[in-house]
Amino acid sequence: MSAILLKSADLRIQIDPDTLGFTDTSELLQSPLSWIGQKRAEAATHFGLNMQQPDYHLFVLGEVGSGRSSLLRQAMITVAAKSAAPPDLCYLYNFTAPEKPIAIRLPTGQGRLLRQSLAQLTKSLPDEIARCLNGQDFKIKYEQLLKKFKHAETKLYTELSSFAEERHFSIRREAEQIVFTLLDSKGKILTEDNLFKLPKTRRTEIDQAEQELHAAIIRYFEEIKRIESDKRTKLAALQRNAVTPLLNQRFRTLHNNLHRQLRNHTRLKTFLDQVIQDILNNLPLFESADEVNDKKQNNALDQILSHYQVNLIVDNCELKGAPVIVEDNPLAHLLFGNIDYQLEDGKIKTDFMRIRAGSLHKAHGGYILLHLSDLLTDTAVWVRLRRLLRSNRLQIDEPISALTANMPASIEPEAVDINIKIVLIGSREDYYFLQQEDPEFIRRFRVKVDFADDFKSSSDTYHASSIFVAHICHAKKLPHFSAGATTRLLEESHREVDDQTRQSAIFARTEMLIMESATLCSDRGGLVVEITDIMAALQARTVRHNYPDQWLQEAITDGDILISLQGKKTGQLNAITQIDMGDHSFGTPIRVTARTFAGENGLLNIAHEVEMSGPIHDKGVLILQNYLSALFAHLAPLALSASIVFEQEYAGIEGDSASCAEFFALLSSLSRIPVKQSIAITGALNQYGEVLPVGGINDKIEGFFNVCEKTGLNGEQGVLIPYHNQRHLMLNYNVIEAVEQDLFHIYAMKHVTEGLELLTGTPSGITEKRKIKKYPAKTVLGHVEKTLIDFRAACQTSHAKAD
């Protein structure tokens, strides 16, 4: 059986513009965008976003450009819009432990209201308290109380003075001391000289009297201290009693203006009670200060008032529905929050008002989208995220820096509970790596959203893809695409996956082609993008990227790389390889040669011997060897030494798509039958000689075609490909045109022996009968069999001579 000659209609799917149902894409703008070809991912997304149980976070797999981020973001927004806005998050001063600020959640919008209310209250309270403490009623009571204590102090002093006079002493006050002087019988100061003239008994009496006076003075100061303490207590109580009604009334008004849910909010009520108590404890600071102490007192008052502020770190007042956060820069402080520091008077300072929310705080009650590759760049972020997923509590940690040796006492904001749905985008490799290396982490992501790289095409997917084109044109203010141009975009989506039945799901490539084609359309002054604009954009893109391809083609046409395109040669033919440069892939022919001898070394893969071949290629050569042995099992063991090599290959070889070419070269050498150099071969074979499909089929065919076209098409050139690669053909129109003109041919084979007759012009020797004992003499395999018999005879003769 011979290889099949393919028709031009087999080489590419061509979509009829009339089947799309529109003239240009502007007619589709009213149609909504859909998850084109991603039904599995769409269903998983809706399930995961609506699942309220813990640990049902979403891990999104797929290639870059498949629309993962934009589709997930839109789905998150849609689901979030149906939810209620989450509460606000505030931090308050902790009067009991200032280093541990208190976190409280308030109903949506109440955080802003509480902050404004407290700000207004603390702004007006100093003046109101000062007026209260300087009012006429308060002053009268204050003066009366002072007068009472003044009278008590005067009475004590009078009693002490009388006590001193009885013992012939006079007393007077000097600052905080009492000085006493001894008097004589006439009431005059007794000098020291006169004192020594007194009788001894009198001096003893004076010493006794002085000790008694000392004791009385001590008792006086103790009593004065008690009176002063009592006075301060009574005055403070007087101030508190005067100010308390004012504070109660003002804070009651503030409390009543808040949401009714907050009226029984225990932590907020406790905080407001502590504010009242703190004001009462610091009432002297609210009194009018004199000019000397005014600045100092005002600074102290400002410090006290700063404790009554509200640090509203998450304000959801303007939010409609649940929050949706897309964090493209997940640094630790942006994700988990941080504490700001400020340098004042040479010292680093901070307080509860410098606590800043992270994206995770803002996403509470909603959704956050993260990229795994961003998270993995910082080990600390990864560790903290794992901790969050385990505990569902978010703690703001202080940054640690070697440059902050004069750091103040640290503050430790209270950790908060977090209810959040994380959407994590990563590659398939990352997902399965984490399955193996970090199963605890991946267990938290129970919803796998797997974006396909391609999908089965249909009239529905064509319509949905056309809607996508319309929306891109509208969003980017580009000219719309005609139906014909749209079909060419659709055909290119088939070409991207090398499949006539499937489209590419990587719409970023389509979007790029849309923008490039639209630019060329605008340059020529067109109103609608046509097929010619797309063809020009594709050609321009190729020219930008195909320098390595052009260099190889010129090297072949200049004779630097030896490739024969005409005639026949024994043990030599052209295979085709694909070279992928990342931004550009292309095919190029490469010469394969085989040499065979009588011997017992078997098949030698020269590339393997010099460590220039990969394991897949080596596997293909071993399969080839086993199939060859199976063909001639009736002659076993084979007396054969053979070598195969890719000529002028210096970069290394991988893949098994050349195993058919290597088989043909080997049989040509064994049969001594030359093969056509005008036909290049690609395809892998299994141990039964069946030809398997290979990748990059379009690049390979076009690569050989381009070389032939440069040297001149003569009607004999073509390629031989696997039969099962037919549906993967999406060849360029210049190749199809050459096929239609019989200038180039594409053949397909199911079994490796089908290509033998095409390449040699000689029957292969394979018949439908099995159990072959001897191949026909005038066939390729018959010639090979004769050669192998001759090799065995030569080996036997050599062994006999050696004996």
Side-chain angles (χ1 to χ4, degrees):
M1 186 174 179
S2 183
I4 302 170
L5 177 63
L6 301 182
K7 300 177 182 179
S8 61
D10 301 324
L11 307 182
R12 181 185 181 97
I13 184 174
Q14 298 186 52
I15 304 171
D16 184 358
D18 293 337
T19 62
L20 297 182
F22 59 85
T23 305
D24 65 65
T25 54
S26 64
E27 301 170 21
L28 304 176
L29 283 176
Q30 300 306 315
S31 301
L33 284 168
S34 62
W35 293 54
I36 310 171
Q38 302 290 358
K39 290 184 178 179
R40 180 190 292 105
E42 183 179 16
T45 297
H46 291 314
F47 168 78
L49 293 179
N50 288 291
M51 174 55 105
Q52 299 302 314
Q53 298 302 318
D55 293 338
Y56 276 86
H57 302 289
L58 286 71
F59 197 112
V60 184
L61 297 73
E63 292 297 320
V64 176
S66 60
R68 303 171 303 176
S69 299
S70 56
L71 287 173
L72 262 297
R73 181 176 179 273
Q74 187 56 51
M76 291 158 64
I77 292 173
T78 301
V79 175
K82 302 175 184 177
S83 305
D88 301 334
L89 177 59
C90 306
Y91 272 99
L92 305 176
Y93 183 77
N94 189 338
F95 290 95
T96 304
E99 73 281 1
K100 295 183 178 181
I102 300 169
I104 63 170
R105 292 196 185 277
L106 305 175
T108 308
Q110 293 301 297
R112 181 180 296 187
L113 179 59
L114 177 62
R115 182 180 62 182
Q116 293 173 346
S117 299
L118 271 176
Q120 293 172 357
L121 187 61
T122 53
K123 183 178 180 181
S124 60
L125 269 181
D127 290 339
E128 293 180 7
I129 292 174
R131 285 196 297 272
C132 181
L133 297 180
N134 289 297
Q136 190 63 33
D137 291 342
F138 177 80
K139 281 189 174 182
I140 291 172
K141 293 178 182 178
Y142 188 83
E143 292 298 331
Q144 288 176 347
L145 191 59
L146 283 180
K147 186 176 180 180
K148 174 183 175 182
F149 283 103
K150 183 67 174 175
H151 176 74
E153 290 176 1
T154 302
K155 181 180 178 183
L156 280 176
Y157 186 79
T158 301
E159 291 175 354
L160 179 63
S161 180
S162 298
F163 185 86
E165 288 177 2
E166 290 175 0
R167 288 158 179 75
H168 304 285
F169 287 96
S170 66
I171 61 173
R172 68 178 186 278
R173 291 174 179 166
E174 289 187 4
E176 298 299 324
Q177 296 180 344
I178 291 181
V179 179
F180 58 88
T181 306
L182 182 61
L183 303 177
D184 58 16
S185 57
K186 297 180 179 181
K188 293 183 180 181
I189 297 175
L190 183 65
T191 64
E192 188 174 355
D193 292 339
N194 292 332
L195 178 63
F196 282 108
K197 293 178 180 179
L198 294 175
K200 183 177 180 180
T201 55
R202 178 58 184 152
R203 290 201 302 272
T204 301
E205 291 175 357
I206 292 174
D207 289 340
Q208 181 65 31
E210 185 175 354
Q211 291 176 12
E212 291 174 355
L213 181 58
H214 269 294
I217 291 174
I218 292 173
R219 289 194 299 272
Y220 168 81
F221 277 115
E222 290 176 349
E223 191 65 21
I224 287 295
K225 185 182 294 184
R226 183 190 63 76
I227 292 174
E228 288 291 336
S229 175
D230 192 27
K231 180 175 70 172
R232 286 193 297 270
T233 302
K234 294 292 179 60
L235 289 176
L238 180 64
Q239 290 179 324
R240 293 167 69 94
N241 292 336
V243 173
T244 297
L246 168 67
L247 295 180
N248 289 339
Q249 186 271 327
R250 293 302 307 275
F251 277 87
R252 190 181 306 112
T253 301
L254 180 150
H255 197 264
N256 291 337
N257 288 336
L258 296 176
H259 195 279
R260 62 179 179 274
Q261 294 180 5
L262 292 180
R263 293 171 189 173
N264 296 318
H265 195 296
T266 305
R267 301 193 82 189
L268 178 59
K269 185 177 184 304
T270 299
F271 172 75
L272 294 178
D273 289 342
Q274 289 175 329
V275 170
I276 294 174
Q277 191 61 42
D278 193 61
I279 293 173
L280 294 175
N281 291 340
N282 292 278
L283 283 178
L285 294 176
F286 289 83
E287 295 180 277
S288 299
D290 55 45
E291 295 182 359
V292 176
N293 296 323
D294 187 51
K295 183 176 181 181
K296 182 178 179 181
Q297 181 166 325
N298 286 340
N299 289 339
L301 179 59
D302 290 342
Q303 181 66 29
I304 292 296
L305 293 176
S306 69
H307 298 162
Y308 312 150
Q309 299 179 81
V310 175
N311 184 2
L312 180 60
I313 69 169
V314 178
D315 182 6
N316 292 322
C317 183
E318 306 295 334
L319 192 62
K320 305 298 182 184
V324 174
I325 304 294
V326 178
E327 184 53 79
D328 292 321
N329 187 27
L331 299 176
H333 68 281
L334 296 178
L335 198 58
F336 299 96
N338 69 304
I339 304 170
D340 286 345
Y341 291 87
Q342 186 171 359
L343 187 63
E344 295 180 4
D345 301 326
K347 293 183 180 180
I348 296 177
K349 297 183 179 180
T350 191
D351 56 42
F352 77 102
M353 289 299 294
R354 300 185 189 277
I355 300 172
R356 300 290 179 259
S359 299
L360 291 169
H361 292 95
K362 298 173 184 176
H364 172 71
Y367 309 87
I368 185 168
L369 187 146
L370 302 167
H371 287 267
L372 180 62
S373 57
D374 296 331
L375 299 176
L376 293 177
T377 59
D378 189 339
T379 305
V381 170
W382 183 251
V383 170
R384 292 179 67 178
L385 183 61
R386 291 176 77 252
R387 189 185 306 150
L388 171 67
L389 288 170
R390 188 186 309 118
S391 65
N392 290 321
R393 285 183 64 79
L394 186 54
Q395 175 70 59
I396 300 177
D397 294 330
E398 277 190 300
I400 299 175
S401 174
L403 301 178
T404 54
N406 58 343
M407 285 276 286
S410 62
I411 65 172
E412 184 182 340
E414 182 180 9
V416 293
D417 291 331
I418 289 292
N419 177 22
I420 193 171
K421 183 78 70 174
I422 299 176
V423 177
L424 187 60
I425 295 181
S427 66
R428 288 188 177 84
E429 293 78 6
D430 289 334
Y431 178 80
Y432 292 110
F433 173 79
L434 289 173
Q435 286 272 25
Q436 182 68 29
E437 299 297 326
D438 197 346
E440 180 189 352
F441 175 84
I442 210 67
R443 186 175 67 83
R444 313 292 177 185
F445 291 83
R446 295 178 176 175
V447 182
K448 177 183 176 183
V449 182
D450 199 347
F451 272 73
D453 298 340
D454 55 61
F455 53 87
K456 198 78 173 177
S457 62
S458 65
S459 58
D460 291 337
T461 63
Y462 289 159
H463 182 68
S465 300
S466 301
I467 294 172
F468 170 77
V469 176
H471 282 266
I472 290 295
C473 293
H474 177 72
K476 298 187 178 296
K477 297 180 173 56
L478 302 174
H480 281 274
F481 280 60
S482 68
T486 305
T487 59
R488 188 55 54 89
L489 286 175
L490 296 174
E491 290 174 13
E492 279 303 309
S493 74
H494 283 277
R495 165 68 185 233
E496 287 173 8
V497 293
D498 289 340
D499 199 312
Q500 296 180 10
T501 64
R502 304 187 71 83
Q503 290 177 252
S504 171
I506 312 302
F507 283 95
R509 300 171 188 163
T510 302
E511 182 178 351
M512 183 168 59
L513 183 56
I514 290 172
M515 293 186 292
E516 292 172 6
S517 304
T519 299
L520 294 178
C521 172
S522 299
D523 289 345
R524 67 173 175 81
L527 299 178
V528 177
V529 179
E530 301 291 354
I531 293 178
T532 53
D533 298 313
I534 296 179
M535 298 301 292
L538 290 171
Q539 179 60 30
R541 182 189 297 176
T542 300
V543 171
R544 290 195 300 270
H545 295 276
N546 74 340
Y547 172 73
D549 185 6
Q550 288 295 107
W551 181 88
L552 272 175
Q553 290 182 32
E554 291 172 3
I556 292 172
T557 55
D558 292 343
D560 296 329
I561 296 178
L562 301 180
I563 297 291
S564 298
L565 300 176
Q566 298 180 11
K568 294 184 176 182
K569 292 192 178 182
T570 302
Q572 172 184 309
L573 49 68
N574 296 319
I576 323 172
T577 185
Q578 184 192 37
I579 299 175
D580 192 344
M581 307 295 291
D583 62 339
H584 180 65
S585 61
F586 59 93
T588 185
I590 184 170
R591 177 180 289 180
V592 178
T593 60
R595 299 295 299 272
T596 53
F597 312 93
E600 299 176 350
N601 294 328
L603 181 59
L604 176 68
N605 176 9
I606 294 178
H608 172 74
E609 295 301 314
V610 296
E611 298 182 351
M612 290 185 63
S613 63
I616 298 176
H617 178 260
D618 294 341
K619 173 186 173 185
V621 174
L622 291 174
I623 291 174
L624 183 160
Q625 181 175 340
N626 289 343
Y627 177 60
L628 181 66
S629 299
L631 284 175
F632 300 98
H634 57 287
L635 300 179
L638 301 181
L640 172 68
S641 292
S643 63
I644 296 178
V645 69
F646 285 79
E647 304 287 354
Q648 293 183 283
E649 171 56 53
Y650 309 110
I653 306 166
E654 181 58 309
D656 60 356
S657 63
S659 55
C660 286
E662 292 170 320
F663 176 78
F664 292 140
L666 185 62
L667 288 191
S668 173
S669 177
L670 283 170
S671 66
R672 306 295 190 263
I673 299 176
V675 292
K676 294 178 181 179
Q677 303 298 293
S678 58
I679 296 178
I681 301 96
T682 185
L685 78 160
N686 64 18
Q687 292 192 98
Y688 296 96
E690 296 167 329
V691 182
L692 308 176
V694 295
I697 190 68
N698 293 294
D699 284 339
K700 292 175 178 178
I701 295 173
E702 290 166 3
F704 186 68
F705 173 82
N706 291 336
V707 172
C708 293
E709 189 177 42
K710 277 187 176 293
T711 58
L713 296 172
N714 55 22
E716 297 182 358
Q717 295 138 338
V719 294
L720 178 60
I721 67 170
Y723 176 84
H724 296 291
N725 270 127
Q726 284 188 73
R727 73 178 179 89
H728 302 128
L729 294 176
M730 283 296 299
L731 293 169
N732 287 332
Y733 280 95
N734 59 338
V735 180
I736 296 174
E737 184 178 353
V739 170
E740 291 175 343
Q741 297 174 2
D742 283 333
L743 294 176
F744 195 76
H745 310 282
I746 298 175
Y747 304 91
M749 56 180 172
K750 291 183 178 179
H751 196 275
V752 71
T753 55
E754 294 176 5
L756 286 174
E757 184 173 344
L758 173 67
L759 295 172
T760 63
T762 303
S764 66
I766 292 289
T767 64
E768 295 182 0
K769 297 179 180 180
R770 312 319 294 159
K771 303 292 184 181
I772 294 177
K773 295 183 179 179
K774 186 175 180 62
Y775 293 107
K778 293 184 179 181
T779 63
V780 176
L781 295 180
H783 284 286
V784 173
E785 183 177 341
K786 181 179 182 304
T787 301
L788 292 174
I789 293 173
D790 291 343
F791 284 174
R792 174 180 289 180
C795 287
Q796 290 173 345
T797 301
S798 176
H799 288 316
K801 289 181 180 180
D803 293 339

